[in-house]
C-alpha cells in the first residue's frame, strides 16, 4: 500500500502503513526515551488504515487518518529515513605501505577534545587503523585513552591485559614464536571489535618481534577480482572456530568473509588459522580451494605493514577488518592493551555524527 505524496517539490511513493507506524506524535512516540509507545493492537489496526486528509508545507506535512488520528511529519526526516539516506564513512582498502602512511596520528592530549576523538575514530572507520602518540607507557594511561572511545571489553583474558609477563593462558600469542596474521576471537558470537596495542617495555637486547599487519578488506577485494567464485564460496560456506581452556569452551560458526545482504559490501573478515575447529565445513573441497587462494593472497609481500611497536605509541585496529601477527623474537617484550566491542565503538561513532 503506497501513496504518492507531494513532499517539498517532489512526488514520492511512500508506504502508508510505514507512515502510520512511524508517527512521531506524543501519543505514539516517547521523545525523551526515543522509543515507540505503540501497542500490538494499535499496530494491527494500522494494517488497514487509510489517509483521509493530507496537507503539506515547506518543512513538514500533516495527515488525518481514517480512525481520526492526526500525524505531523518533518519532511527531511521522512525523506532521509524512507530513502535510507545515511551518514557513512566509506572504508578505503589498503596495501601494507598505505597502512603505514594513511592512518591519522592523534596526540594523546587531543583525545580530551571532541575533534581529537573524531579524528581517531574516523581513521579507524576509514582505514581500519588509528594511531595515538605521546602516551605514557603504562597500562593505566592506555586504559584512560581507550575510555575516550568506549569502555574496554571484559573477556576471558581480562579487561586490560598484558602479554609478556605472568602468562596464564594457553594461547599462541603468549609465546615468543611467530604469529600468522589473524583476526582475534573468531570463536565469540560477536568477535571483539577493536584491538588496542601498546608496547609498555621493550628490552634493548630484544630482537625481532615486529608487528605484521594486513588489511583483510584488501585481501577480499583482490580475491573477488581474481576469482569471484572463490570469493562467493568464502561468503557462503561456514566454518567453526573454537577456544578451549579449563572452565571455558567457546564456539562460533560463520563464513570467512561476511557481507551485508543488502549492499553486498564486506563488513567483517573471520580468519584465524589457529582457531579453526575440526568440524568439517559443508562443500569441503570448494572451501579448501577457496581458503587456499585467500591465504595465497594473504602471504603476498605487498600486503604487509611491518613495524616495531614502541612505548608511547598506541595502535588501535579494527579487528573485524585488520589481521595482525608478529615475527618471532628473543628478549623481553611486554605490551598491554584491551578489546572494545564493535557495538560500543559504533555507538561512539554515532554520537559524534560520523555515521548514522
Amino acid at each position: 500500500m503506497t501513496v504518492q505524496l507531494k513532499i517539498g517539490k517532489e512526488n514520492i511513493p511512500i508506504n502508508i502503513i510505514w507512515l502510520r507506524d512511524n508517527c512521531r506524535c506524543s501519543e505514539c512516540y516517547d521523545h525523551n526515551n526515543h522509543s515507540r509507545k505503540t501497542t500490538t493492537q494499535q499496530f494491527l489496526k494500522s494494517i488497514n488504515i487509510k489517509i483521509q486528509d493530507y496537507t503539506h508545507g515547506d518543512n513538514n506535512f500533516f495527515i488525518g487518518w481514517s480512525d481520526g488520528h492526526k500525524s505531523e511529519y518533518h519532511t527531511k526526516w521522512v525523506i532521509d529515513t524512507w530513502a535510507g539516506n545515511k551518514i557513512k564513512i566509506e572504508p578505503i582498502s589498503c596495501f601494507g605501505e598505505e597502512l603505514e602512511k594513511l592512518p591519522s596520528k592523534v596526540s594523546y592530549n587531543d583525545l580530551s577534545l571532541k575533534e581529537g576523538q573524531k579524528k581517531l575514530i574516523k581513521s579507524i572507520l576509514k582505514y581500519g587503523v588509528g594511531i595515538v602518540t605521546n602516551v605514557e607507557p603504562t597500562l593505566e594511561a592506555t586504559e584512560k585513552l581507550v575510555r575516550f572511545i568506549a569502555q574496554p571489553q571484559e573477556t576471558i583474558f581480562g579487561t586490560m591485559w598484558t602479554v609478556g609477563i605472568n602468562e596464564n593462558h594457553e594461547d599462541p600469542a603468549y609465546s615468543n614464536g611467530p604469529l600468522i596474521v589473524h583476526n582475534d576471537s573468531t570463536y565469540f558470537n560477536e568477535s571483539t571489535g577493536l584491538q588496542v596495542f601498546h608496547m609498555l617495555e621493550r628490552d634493548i637486547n630484544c630482537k625481532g618481534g615486529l608487528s605484521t599487519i594486513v588489511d583483510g578488506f584488501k585481501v577480499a577485494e583482490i580475491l573477488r577480482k581474481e576469482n569471484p567464485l572463490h570469493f562467493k564460496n568464502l561468503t557462503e560456506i561456514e566454518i567453526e572456530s573454537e577456544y578451549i581452556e579449563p572452565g571455558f569452551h567457546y564456539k562460533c560458526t560463520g563464513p570467512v568473509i561476511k557481507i551485508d545482504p543488502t549492499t553486498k559490501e564486506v563488513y567483517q573478515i573471520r580468519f584465524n588459522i589457529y582457531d579453526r575447529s575440526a568440524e568439517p565445513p559443508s562443500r569441503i573441497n570448494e572451501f579448501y580451494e577457496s581458503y587456499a587462494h585467500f591465504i595465497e593472497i594473504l602471504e603476498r609481500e605487498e600486503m604487509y605493514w611491518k613495524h616495531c611497536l614502541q612505548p608511547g605509541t598506541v595502535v588501535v585496529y579494527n579487528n573485524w577488518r585488520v589481521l595482525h601477527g608478529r615475527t618471532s623474537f628473543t628478549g623481553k617484550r611486554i605490551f598491554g592493551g584491551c578489546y572494545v566491542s564493535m557495538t560500543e565503538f559504533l555507538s561512539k561513532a554515532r554520537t559524534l555524527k560520523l555515521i548514522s
Side-chain angles (χ1 to χ4, degrees):
M1 295 170 59
T2 61
V3 62
Q4 292 276 347
L5 295 182
K6 186 172 180 58
I7 299 180
K9 297 180 179 179
E10 301 180 69
N11 287 316
I12 299 177
I14 299 181
N15 183 278
I16 295 173
I17 300 173
W18 179 85
L19 276 171
R20 179 55 185 272
D21 185 38
N22 288 284
C23 175
R24 285 317 195 238
C25 79
S26 58
E27 291 181 35
C28 298
Y29 193 78
D30 185 337
H31 288 269
N32 291 325
N33 294 314
H34 305 284
S35 63
R36 299 175 188 269
K37 291 182 178 180
T38 309
T39 66
T40 52
Q41 290 303 310
Q42 287 172 326
F43 175 79
L44 291 174
K45 282 173 60 179
S46 70
I47 299 298
N48 298 311
I49 205 76
K50 292 180 174 58
I51 293 176
Q52 294 284 77
D53 301 300
Y54 172 74
T55 57
H56 67 91
D58 293 334
N59 301 310
N60 52 15
F61 62 92
F62 305 84
I63 292 179
W65 300 96
S66 56
D67 64 353
H69 190 75
K70 297 184 184 300
S71 301
E72 178 183 356
Y73 301 89
H74 293 290
T75 304
K76 185 177 186 307
W77 181 84
V78 170
I79 292 174
D80 288 347
T81 308
W82 176 250
N85 296 332
K86 293 181 178 289
I87 304 169
K88 185 179 179 183
I89 293 177
E90 293 290 344
I92 297 176
S93 61
C94 301
F95 287 108
E97 62 178 16
E98 294 171 318
L99 272 178
E100 184 173 9
K101 297 173 183 175
L102 290 174
S104 300
K105 291 180 174 63
V106 182
S107 174
Y108 173 78
N109 292 331
D110 291 338
L111 284 181
S112 60
L113 306 173
K114 187 175 288 187
E115 286 308 308
Q117 296 169 22
K118 289 176 74 170
K119 185 177 179 182
L120 176 62
I121 291 173
K122 187 175 181 179
S123 179
I124 298 168
L125 290 168
K126 197 168 187 177
Y127 306 114
V129 177
I131 301 169
V132 184
T133 58
N134 304 314
V135 186
E136 181 186 346
T138 65
L139 205 58
E140 292 73 21
T142 309
E143 180 176 358
K144 188 175 179 181
L145 176 160
V146 172
R147 289 186 180 276
F148 284 119
I149 303 173
Q151 61 185 6
Q153 180 181 4
E154 185 172 359
T155 68
I156 184 179
F157 305 105
T159 304
M160 299 298 298
W161 35 254
T162 57
V163 176
I165 186 172
N166 298 326
E167 317 298 20
N168 55 5
H169 295 285
E170 297 297 326
D171 187 278
Y174 293 90
S175 71
N176 63 350
L179 283 177
I180 298 167
V181 290
H182 59 280
N183 306 105
D184 272 14
S185 61
T186 55
Y187 41 77
F188 286 171
N189 291 96
E190 181 184 270
S191 296
T192 48
L194 302 186
Q195 189 136 31
V196 180
F197 286 159
H198 188 187
M199 185 63 67
L200 304 177
E201 185 178 346
R202 183 182 172 96
D203 192 277
I204 58 172
N205 296 317
C206 182
K207 305 293 184 183
L210 295 178
S211 293
T212 52
I213 307 301
V214 173
D215 184 355
F217 284 6
K218 190 68 174 181
V219 178
E221 177 187 302
I222 293 171
L223 180 66
R224 177 152 36 186
K225 288 179 180 176
E226 291 185 355
N227 194 314
L229 180 58
H230 286 173
F231 175 86
K232 184 171 183 288
N233 288 341
L234 292 187
T235 67
E236 296 176 345
I237 302 172
E238 299 196 339
I239 61 169
E240 184 180 78
S241 299
E242 68 177 346
Y243 180 85
I244 304 171
E245 68 172 56
F248 299 92
H249 189 171
Y250 297 106
K251 277 190 177 186
C252 183
T253 301
V256 173
I257 302 171
K258 287 189 172 184
I259 60 171
D260 185 287
T262 302
T263 65
K264 306 304 179 186
E265 295 174 350
V266 176
Y267 72 89
Q268 184 179 0
I269 305 295
R270 293 179 68 256
F271 178 85
N272 192 313
I273 205 162
Y274 302 106
D275 294 334
R276 284 186 303 122
S277 78
E279 181 76 21
S282 63
R283 297 157 53 189
I284 191 164
N285 290 331
E286 293 174 77
F287 168 74
Y288 279 127
E289 184 178 350
S290 303
Y291 197 64
H293 191 174
F294 185 95
I295 291 174
E296 187 275 316
I297 297 169
L298 197 62
E299 290 190 326
R300 297 175 189 175
E301 188 64 28
E302 65 268 23
M303 304 305 300
Y304 283 80
W305 171 31
K306 295 181 181 179
H307 65 285
C308 184
L309 290 171
Q310 296 291 341
T313 298
V314 174
V315 185
V316 185
Y317 305 115
N318 177 352
N319 182 55
W320 284 23
R321 170 179 175 177
V322 171
L323 294 80
H324 68 281
R326 179 194 66 213
T327 63
S328 61
F329 68 95
T330 58
K332 191 176 183 181
R333 179 182 182 272
I334 300 172
F335 74 90
C338 67
Y339 296 122
V340 173
S341 80
M342 186 60 74
T343 297
E344 295 295 336
F345 170 65
L346 294 180
S347 170
K348 179 68 174 184
R350 291 187 193 99
T351 63
L352 292 175
K353 309 299 183 186
L354 293 171
I355 61 172
S356 58

